[in-house]
Each structure stands twice: as C-alpha cells, then as structure tokens.
Amino acid sequence: MSRNLISLSLTASLFAGTALADVPAVAADIGPVHSLVARVMANVGEPDLIVAPGASPHEYSLRPSEAQALQDAEVVFWTGPELTPWLGDAVKTLASGAEVITLSDLDATKTLPTRESALFEAHDHGDHDPDHEEGYDHEEHVESERDQHDHDHEHEHDHAEGHVHGGTDPHIWLSPANASAWLTVIADTLSAADPDNAEAYAANAAAGREELAALSQEIEGILDPVRGKNFIVFHDAYQYFEDSFGVPASGAISLSDASDPSPARIAEIQARVAELDVTCVLSEPQYSPGVVAAVMEGSDTQTGVLDPLGSDLAPGPALYPQVLRNLASALADCLRAPQ
C-alpha cells in the first residue's frame, strides 16, 4: 500500500472514531423501549439497556454495569414511575446531568386507567371497528376515560403489588400508536443532542413508523379470524394491545405480576370462564402453571403464553415489533385451538 493510501486510511479511521465518539451515550429502561431507541440510532450508535432481559421491571437491583451506563448517559429514555418506581431515584442520582425523557409524561402518550377488578366490564364482541382497518388508532370508545386519566401521575405506589394501582396502567409500550409517537420524540431528542446525525435519526424514525403501520395491518390479519372469542390473561398487562386491536380480555387471574391471586379471585375467574365460554387462558413465562391449572379445572379451556417484554428475544431494533407479533400469534393460536 502506498504512503498516500496509508495516510488516507488513517485519516478516515480517525474521522470515523471521532464521529463515533461524538454520538451521545444513551440508556433505555426496558427491552421494548430500548428497541425503539435502537431503531432510531441504527447505523449511528447503540443504546444501553438498563433492565436485563427476563427481569421484572417493577422491582430490580442494578448491576454495576447498568449503574455505570446510567452514570455515563447523556440521554435517558424510561417508561415512567408507574412501571419502575425504583428507577426514578437511580436516574436522579446517577444520571443527574442527563436529558431524561419520561415516556408516560409525554403529551403524545395515550394512557388508560388501571383495571383492578378480576372481571373486566362487558365488551361488544360484534363487528370489528372499521377504524382498525385504517391502522392502529383505536381511541373513541375510551376517550372520556382517557381525558380523565391521561397524565395523572400523582398516584400512590403500591410496592407490594409491584406497580401503581388506582391510576394509570403502566404497560404503555403495548400500544403501537404510542410507540410510533415515541419514535418521533426519540429522534428529536437525539437530534438536539447530536445535530451532526439528525438526518439519520429522522430517517430511521420515519422508517420505523412505516414498519409499525405495516405491522399493525399484519396483526389485524392475524387476529381477524378469532375476534369475538373470550380469553382470560394471568396478569392484566395487555389493555393497550387489546384496545389497539379490538380484542378485549374478559378478566385477569392476578391483579399484578408481583402478587398471587387469592382463592376468592380464582373462584371469580372460574365462574367467568364458565359463564362466557372462555376458550383460552394466557399465562406468562415466569408464572407457575399451577394457578392456571386451577382456573382451568373442569373446563376444556386452552392455554397459551404471552411475553410483553420479549424476555427471550435478543435486545435490539427487531425486538419491539417481534413482541407485538408474538402477542398476536400466541393469542390467535390459543383462541383457534380445537375445543
């Protein structure tokens, strides 16, 4: 290699290293949020994930590497205190100089009130709302509730139950409309911190929004054959997904993922299974199958497993869409299983 070529190669490497060094250090709390941030940062940089895959975000002890990632972060994206009440203090202490984006506080984030009853209100299982055919903006039938509850974050934290009750349902990432809005916020935030890569962030966010729109249509197709069938979830984590795609659950076995259901609650759910001819009971990977078996006792109900965090998926841009796709597929498989 000639001396000139060597010089050019060294210069290019130096500039590449400088560009990489200029990309802000970014941290995100849970896998789905990290995935959306990674989508916006594609080919520019990689965010750090704070809550390890497979861990409950409600109660968590930071590893040294995760604490260091927060301390080094210039930008932090987190879901909010409703989901991870412990993280607020950690962010204030370790990332005091960072730009912190609380997704649950954003005007663009649509929220729903927490459902505390074992048995959810009756739903209309008639024809699917045609608004769904236009995408994933399924808002009208809960607008009055949202007006009352949106961004009402002055709630008590019930650590025994694992997350906030009597306030906002914290599983806000399971709305693709929220995720689409967050892509824009993520790109705008990163562009302000890193103007040199603003064009790339904007293009990645736009591509991500197009991907979510296409994914929503794909999920509509997956769920269309099983609409109107009744199912029960173990832990009431799916209200945003249900609302986005018009597939309401009939109830939840457990009030939260941090508490075991009482015998009285199990009896309520068993009665609902019989009353509504529930065909499917959905659990999550971390739960003992014994409780689900108790609920299903004496019925021909099928079972399935939902994973709202993508615990078994590799962190990165592909995780978020795969979480939603897997939810739809698991629900559809359970509901169409032979009875």
Side-chain angles (χ1 to χ4, degrees):
M1 181 181 293
S2 71
R3 183 174 300 176
N4 286 341
L5 287 177
I6 293 174
S7 177
L8 287 172
S9 177
L10 291 173
T11 301
S13 298
L14 176 63
F15 281 130
T18 301
L20 183 62
D22 287 341
V23 174
V26 181
D29 60 348
I30 60 173
V33 172
H34 174 269
S35 177
L36 295 170
V37 177
R39 181 65 185 91
V40 175
M41 296 185 72
N43 301 314
V44 178
E46 294 183 7
D48 289 307
L49 174 62
I50 300 304
V51 179
S56 170
H58 303 308
E59 295 180 342
Y60 187 72
S61 296
L62 290 174
R63 300 172 181 175
S65 60
E66 295 157 352
Q68 187 65 53
L70 271 181
Q71 191 166 0
D72 294 341
E74 298 167 66
V75 182
V76 176
F77 297 96
W78 72 308
T79 311
E82 299 86 357
L83 182 73
T84 54
W86 57 272
L87 186 55
D89 288 340
V91 168
K92 289 178 183 177
T93 302
L94 298 173
S96 58
E99 172 78 8
V100 177
I101 304 299
T102 304
L103 298 173
S104 61
D105 282 343
L106 298 176
D107 289 340
T109 299
K110 299 298 184 182
T111 61
L112 296 170
T114 300
R115 301 182 293 198
E116 296 194 25
S117 171
L119 309 179
F120 303 153
E121 293 182 4
H123 300 280
D124 180 5
H125 291 300
D127 292 340
H128 181 42
D129 187 340
D131 287 345
H132 285 293
E133 304 306 321
E134 299 299 321
Y136 44 73
D137 186 15
H138 184 64
E139 307 293 340
E140 293 183 1
H141 76 282
V142 293
E143 195 63 42
S144 61
E145 287 184 309
R146 284 176 172 166
D147 288 343
Q148 179 179 355
H149 291 277
D150 273 8
H151 316 301
D152 178 11
H153 302 296
E154 297 177 2
H155 310 308
E156 295 181 0
H157 291 270
D158 185 351
H159 293 282
E161 292 294 347
H163 55 68
V164 178
H165 290 281
T168 298
D169 184 331
H171 306 92
I172 51 178
W173 68 91
L174 293 181
S175 159
N178 281 343
S180 184
W182 296 346
L183 288 171
T184 300
V185 172
I186 293 165
D188 290 347
T189 303
L190 295 179
S191 295
D194 179 19
D196 290 343
N197 288 303
E199 186 174 345
Y201 296 138
N204 288 338
R209 289 191 296 272
E210 291 180 1
E211 290 161 7
L212 287 180
L215 175 64
S216 251
Q217 293 301 314
E218 177 187 343
I219 289 175
E220 295 286 358
I222 293 171
L223 295 175
D224 276 343
V226 296
R227 295 192 188 282
K229 295 187 177 182
N230 295 310
F231 64 98
I232 297 288
V233 295
F234 190 102
H235 153 226
D236 188 16
Y238 308 97
Q239 185 177 190
Y240 293 93
F241 184 87
E242 298 166 35
D243 179 63
S244 296
F245 298 106
V247 284
S250 298
I253 298 172
S254 178
L255 182 59
S256 85
D257 63 355
S259 62
D260 292 329
S262 67
R265 190 178 181 95
I266 291 178
E268 280 188 283
I269 293 294
Q270 286 176 324
R272 176 57 64 95
V273 167
E275 173 193 356
L276 295 182
D277 190 26
V278 168
T279 60
C280 170
V281 177
L282 292 154
S283 184
E284 292 179 28
Q286 69 270 33
Y287 295 134
S288 167
V291 176
V292 173
V295 169
M296 295 172 55
E297 186 176 359
S299 75
D300 295 327
T301 304
Q302 303 298 310
T303 61
V305 177
L306 301 179
D307 184 359
L309 290 167
S311 302
D312 62 345
L313 301 175
L319 181 144
Y320 182 83
Q322 195 61 46
V323 165
L324 295 190
R325 186 178 291 109
N326 287 352
L327 291 182
S329 296
L331 175 59
D333 288 346
C334 187
L335 287 173
R336 67 171 167 248
Q339 302 300 307

